[in-house]
Amino acid sequence: MIKLLRLTCLLAAAFVTLNLSVINALASEKPDTSTETENHLADGSELLELDEALLQEAFPAKAAETHSLLEGYTGYRFLTVDNYGGRASKYNYLHSGIIGGASYNRLGQDLKFTLDGNYLNDKDYYGDLNFDYAGEYRFHLRTEALFHNTTGETLFSEPIDFPGIAYIPHQDSSLTGYGLKTEQDSASLRYKIHDFPLHVNLGYWRMVKEGTSQIRFADIAFEGTLNNFFARSRSVNRETHEGKIGFDTHLGPIDLIYNFQIRQFSNKAEQLRDNYVERNIFDSIHRSGVQEHNEDTDSRYFAHTVKLHTSLAGGLVGAGSYTYGKRDNLSRLNDTTGADQTSANLHNYAGDLVYTPFKELSLGFKYRRQEVENSNPSTITNSFFIDNILAVRPSISTEKDVILATLLFRPINQLTIKGEYKGEFLHRNLVHYLDETLNWYLNENESTHKGSISVISRPLKGLRVTARYGYTSTDHPSYGTSFARKHEGELTSNYNLSGRLGFTASYRNSREFNDEIQRRVISSSTPPVEYTQFSPLLSRDKTTHNFTTAVWFSPFPKLTVTASYGFLQNDMDQGMMFSITGDGSLAASNYRSASHLYSLGTAYRFTEKADLSLTLQEVHSLSEFKPENKTFPDPYGYTSGITELSRSKTVETSFSARGNYRFTRNLTCSMEYMLQDYYDKFYSQFDGTVHSITAYVSAKW
């Protein structure tokens, strides 16, 4: 490795030397400017008598200077992993290898060009290209990839037996080794017709996900035979392609923009099929043998968008847009037919108006409307249905209006006041059926009103303080996790003292209430299934605290020290039903999660050529779901043991040290060490440590 590092440094030094020699040679060949004209112009009495031709000769038009910069680095990264490293370093492909990167920038009068790229491994890289010629041709190309280590979840270890019913887990032996590579590629072209205010825009975007992940599914029917739970590995190969074409033009007082977009998602992995237990369900479904399940459905979406806006400068600015889109389901199932007949039509309307009567006051108004027309077949067929036909619950079409009004007032430079109102009005087109299994248990109308006020103050030089309070109310919350009332508060401040000392601090708090949660229970499981309203309303109370602070100081010019602390806590109290087959399984429950983040860093410059930086960070996290200890009447069971199964307490530690040494102004060698460690107090399956050492040399010309 030392030989490789030395060789790389020597190669970079050779390139720098060669480049400097070429620059000096070119500079020596450049002719000196004529001094005759300068002497002739030294006498101011003759200046007024010069004609235009002589002036052009005296002051020739100079071409704009062209600036260019080339930078690059290469090196090697060594990785060692103790136990499992996927949790300690989630977004890191844990293999050693050569790394490198380069960038080139050229800024000229007409041609502007930038190229930037980094390579860590074949699953983690980045490249970006920008090209502009005289503002008439603009081209942008980008590619990037990132690897994500994922883990599996553990099913219960032993079968669970209720009277006459057995629940059996089936799980792969390993929960590790899963991972996904996500790759994105994009290209865009903007062409301006010469001397005409029109741009033509083309774009393409692609995303690919490849790898393996865990899937959990069940073969269960509650009718007394074996009920199986599965946790298995699945192959992931998903592609999304998107194309855009459009134009924008300036038409006197307004600008017109049109865009067409089409996006298609396809799943290239093989459809999942598994062998299910033979059983009859309500004498309507005969299930047996190998069946398809858990499809990642292919889909297509296209949209037309038209936008208009006035000049963005001035006291009154207006804008409006309309979008029509359609989304189609492209299911490829063989066991089930009819799913590919579902689609959704979307209509989006938008209007903006901003009025600034004078510099201290600004008023804004925004309106948004979205109409979603969902459609699906009334029935689908399946080869395992006894009657081969199954009724489908009708989809919901919605209409949503959003109104946003803002007021910004700045009476003095040190004080800004902002008030905002936001109203959301949702209407669902629901159809009510006598068959309870076909009904959606949602309200047809829902209104949400939110008001907030913010104050930004600069009471002292270098000090900025922001305070905000908001209140939101909803008349008919949609779900059990939705809120009916919400209070939000935020206070932030930052201070900078002469570049030697500074701090930031912020505190955010929110509290959500909902005491109108409705639940239904199954009163009869014999077809047709019947439901009854659970008499008491359930409630939910959620509180969030978020506090962060950071301080930095420089006791002397060569040393800078930073320290930070962060705290985040979610606390939820909610009444929960642990079964819907009766009303005897209600218990009060609490879910709590909290995290503490500590960070300390320092940077020290020994000399003009050498510097060192150190960073230490720890994250302590705790979460648990804690229902009250309660035993329900048969056959609903009990809550004992749930807290122990859900509890998690982890510590994530990272430490990094980096040193740089500059041999010359254009040549630098660097060495970096990083430690990442993950520890779970209650479950050691994913504990592990990752060590990485990276040595590289960088040069610029």
Side-chain angles (χ1 to χ4, degrees):
M1 177 57 197
I2 296 177
K3 293 182 179 179
L4 177 62
L5 183 60
R6 288 176 179 173
L7 178 60
T8 308
C9 290
L10 289 174
L11 288 174
F15 286 140
V16 172
T17 304
L18 179 61
N19 185 71
L20 291 176
S21 301
V22 172
I23 292 175
N24 292 332
L26 292 175
S28 63
E29 296 175 1
K30 185 176 180 180
D32 295 335
T33 57
S34 175
T35 58
E36 181 179 354
T37 303
E38 295 177 359
N39 295 333
H40 182 70
L41 293 176
D43 187 356
S45 61
E46 298 181 12
L47 184 60
L48 297 178
E49 300 178 3
L50 297 177
D51 58 15
E52 183 177 352
L54 187 57
L55 284 174
Q56 291 181 356
E57 180 182 354
F59 300 98
K62 293 184 178 180
E65 293 184 0
T66 298
H67 301 275
S68 62
L69 176 64
L70 174 62
E71 297 180 279
Y73 73 92
T74 185
Y76 198 89
R77 185 179 68 150
F78 300 89
L79 277 173
T80 59
V81 181
D82 299 331
N83 299 321
Y84 175 68
R87 285 278 180 93
S89 187
K90 292 182 180 179
Y91 301 98
N92 205 336
Y93 189 56
L94 303 178
H95 292 76
S96 303
I98 295 176
I99 65 170
S103 66
Y104 175 69
N105 293 273
R106 185 183 189 277
L107 180 61
Q109 181 177 4
D110 292 325
L111 179 61
K112 300 173 181 63
F113 180 86
T114 64
L115 177 63
D116 185 24
N118 296 286
Y119 177 84
L120 197 59
N121 49 67
D122 61 350
K123 292 180 171 57
D124 196 335
Y125 54 83
Y126 160 79
D128 190 84
L129 167 67
N130 277 285
F131 176 88
D132 184 299
Y133 181 75
E136 295 186 359
Y137 302 92
R138 292 184 182 179
F139 180 71
H140 183 205
L141 182 66
R142 182 185 182 96
T143 181
E144 59 184 331
L146 178 69
F147 188 79
H148 180 199
N149 294 293
T150 59
T151 54
E153 297 291 338
T154 305
L155 299 179
F156 47 93
S157 57
E158 299 295 333
I160 299 177
D161 291 318
F162 284 107
I165 304 177
Y167 301 92
I168 303 175
H170 303 269
Q171 178 149 13
D172 287 346
S173 58
S174 176
L175 299 177
T176 62
Y178 302 123
L180 293 175
K181 173 190 174 182
T182 301
E183 178 185 345
Q184 292 191 86
D185 304 301
S186 64
S188 63
L189 172 66
R190 184 176 187 180
Y191 170 63
K192 178 182 181 295
I193 298 179
H194 186 64
D195 293 335
F196 190 80
L198 175 69
H199 296 95
V200 178
N201 304 298
L202 300 173
Y204 171 75
W205 175 77
R206 167 181 175 263
M207 183 171 71
V208 177
K209 285 189 176 183
E210 296 177 314
T212 57
S213 64
Q214 186 191 64
I215 182 172
R216 296 178 295 278
F217 61 98
D219 175 11
I220 185 170
F222 301 105
E223 83 284 10
T225 58
L226 295 180
N227 295 282
N228 300 305
F229 293 87
F230 299 90
R232 293 180 178 170
S233 172
R234 77 178 303 181
S235 176
V236 176
N237 188 357
R238 304 166 185 165
E239 290 189 13
T240 303
H241 299 266
E242 178 182 283
K244 290 183 178 181
I245 184 171
F247 67 86
D248 59 85
T249 182
H250 180 67
L251 302 175
I254 64 171
D255 290 346
L256 172 64
I257 303 169
Y258 168 77
N259 283 307
F260 172 73
Q261 171 191 7
I262 183 168
R263 175 183 291 189
Q264 181 151 339
F265 167 79
S266 58
N267 179 28
K268 302 295 184 179
E270 184 178 357
Q271 173 58 45
L272 293 174
R273 293 176 173 85
D274 277 279
N275 191 24
Y276 283 76
V277 173
E278 182 176 359
R279 62 182 90 214
N280 261 337
I281 305 174
F282 298 150
D283 295 324
S284 62
I285 300 176
H286 177 75
R287 201 166 68 187
S288 167
V290 178
Q291 300 181 38
E292 299 171 322
H293 64 92
N294 291 88
E295 180 191 25
D296 284 335
T297 307
D298 293 5
S299 63
R300 181 189 297 119
Y301 172 77
F302 71 86
H304 301 269
T305 301
V306 178
K307 300 179 181 179
L308 294 169
H309 67 78
T310 64
S311 172
L312 300 181
L316 183 63
V317 178
S321 70
Y322 168 72
T323 299
Y324 168 74
K326 186 178 182 181
R327 183 172 56 242
D328 294 309
N329 184 311
L330 304 178
S331 173
R332 296 182 295 171
L333 292 175
N334 295 313
D335 295 350
T336 303
T337 59
D340 56 350
Q341 300 176 29
T342 60
S343 64
N345 292 322
L346 296 93
H347 302 269
N348 292 331
Y349 309 85
D352 293 358
L353 187 65
V354 178
Y355 177 54
T356 307
F358 43 90
K359 65 178 183 178
E360 291 84 8
L361 180 65
S362 180
L363 305 172
F365 178 82
K366 295 183 179 181
Y367 172 72
R368 302 288 186 270
R369 178 177 175 83
Q370 182 183 70
E371 300 174 1
V372 181
E373 301 170 357
N374 288 303
S375 62
N376 58 263
S378 58
T379 61
I380 60 174
T381 61
N382 186 283
S383 57
F384 294 92
F385 297 166
I386 292 177
D387 295 331
N388 200 36
I389 296 176
L390 183 69
V392 178
R393 181 163 54 178
S395 56
I396 302 175
S397 295
T398 62
E399 300 169 3
K400 184 177 182 179
D401 296 281
V402 178
I403 297 174
L404 182 65
T406 60
L407 181 149
L408 189 66
F409 182 52
R410 190 176 183 180
I412 57 176
N413 291 335
Q414 293 77 23
L415 179 64
T416 302
I417 302 172
K418 180 181 179 181
E420 183 176 276
Y421 164 78
K422 183 179 182 180
E424 296 185 9
F425 308 93
L426 177 64
H427 173 72
R428 303 182 179 94
N429 297 318
L430 299 177
V431 180
H432 298 280
Y433 291 82
L434 294 178
D435 186 348
E436 289 288 339
T437 60
L438 296 180
N439 286 326
W440 294 95
Y441 300 121
L442 293 168
N443 292 295
E444 288 189 338
N445 297 293
E446 178 181 326
S447 298
T448 301
H449 303 271
K450 177 180 179 179
S452 65
I453 185 169
S454 304
V455 178
I456 304 173
S457 175
R458 302 170 184 82
L460 301 173
K461 183 179 179 180
L463 177 63
R464 175 188 171 100
V465 180
T466 302
R468 185 180 70 87
Y469 170 76
Y471 175 75
T472 308
S473 67
T474 302
D475 55 358
H476 297 107
S478 298
Y479 309 101
T481 55
S482 305
F483 60 85
R485 301 175 305 281
K486 181 178 181 180
H487 297 270
E488 301 174 89
E490 178 181 351
L491 180 64
T492 64
S493 64
N494 57 72
Y495 181 65
N496 190 332
L497 178 62
S498 303
R500 300 293 300 273
L501 172 67
F503 76 86
T504 62
S506 68
Y507 174 71
R508 298 177 179 87
N509 173 268
S510 68
R511 188 167 185 184
E512 303 174 3
F513 307 89
N514 187 358
D515 53 6
E516 304 173 10
I517 303 174
Q518 297 182 354
R519 286 289 181 265
R520 289 173 173 80
V521 295
I522 298 176
S523 57
S524 174
S525 59
T526 302
V529 177
E530 296 180 359
Y531 295 83
T532 58
Q533 185 77 37
F534 184 54
S535 54
L537 294 174
L538 305 184
S539 62
R540 173 185 172 91
D541 187 348
K542 177 182 177 182
T543 304
T544 301
H545 301 275
N546 187 350
F547 172 74
T548 60
T549 183
V551 60
W552 65 270
F553 62 95
S554 182
F556 48 91
K558 292 185 178 182
L559 177 66
T560 301
V561 180
T562 61
S564 64
Y565 169 74
F567 172 70
L568 175 63
Q569 176 179 302
N570 290 318
D571 205 321
M572 285 171 281
D573 294 309
Q574 183 170 353
M576 299 191 67
M577 298 182 64
F578 287 82
S579 172
I580 63 169
T581 58
D583 57 2
S585 61
L586 180 66
S589 304
N590 171 266
Y591 173 76
R592 180 175 180 267
S593 64
S595 297
H596 300 265
L597 186 149
Y598 309 89
S599 179
L600 179 65
T602 180
Y604 182 72
R605 186 177 63 183
F606 297 94
T607 66
E608 292 295 329
K609 292 187 175 183
D611 60 71
L612 175 69
S613 60
L614 305 173
T615 303
L616 174 65
Q617 178 177 289
E618 272 201 356
V619 180
H620 297 253
S621 302
L622 169 68
S623 65
E624 65 178 5
F625 173 61
K626 190 175 183 179
E628 63 176 313
N629 193 359
K630 195 170 183 180
T631 300
F632 306 123
D634 288 336
Y636 305 125
Y638 49 84
T639 62
S640 176
I642 293 179
T643 300
E644 289 73 18
L645 288 173
S646 66
R647 181 179 292 143
S648 174
K649 187 175 184 180
T650 63
V651 179
E652 298 178 67
T653 304
S654 65
F655 170 77
S656 66
R658 175 176 175 174
N660 301 302
Y661 185 80
R662 286 169 286 279
F663 291 103
T664 67
R665 185 171 59 92
N666 295 330
L667 182 65
T668 303
C669 284
S670 304
M671 182 78 72
E672 182 176 2
Y673 168 75
M674 177 171 286
L675 163 72
Q676 295 172 287
D677 180 78
Y678 179 89
Y679 167 72
D680 191 326
K681 180 179 179 180
F682 302 111
Y683 188 62
S684 61
Q685 178 76 30
F686 304 119
D687 289 358
T689 306
V690 176
H691 304 266
S692 67
I693 299 176
T694 306
Y696 57 95
V697 58
S698 57
K700 62 181 179 179
W701 298 267

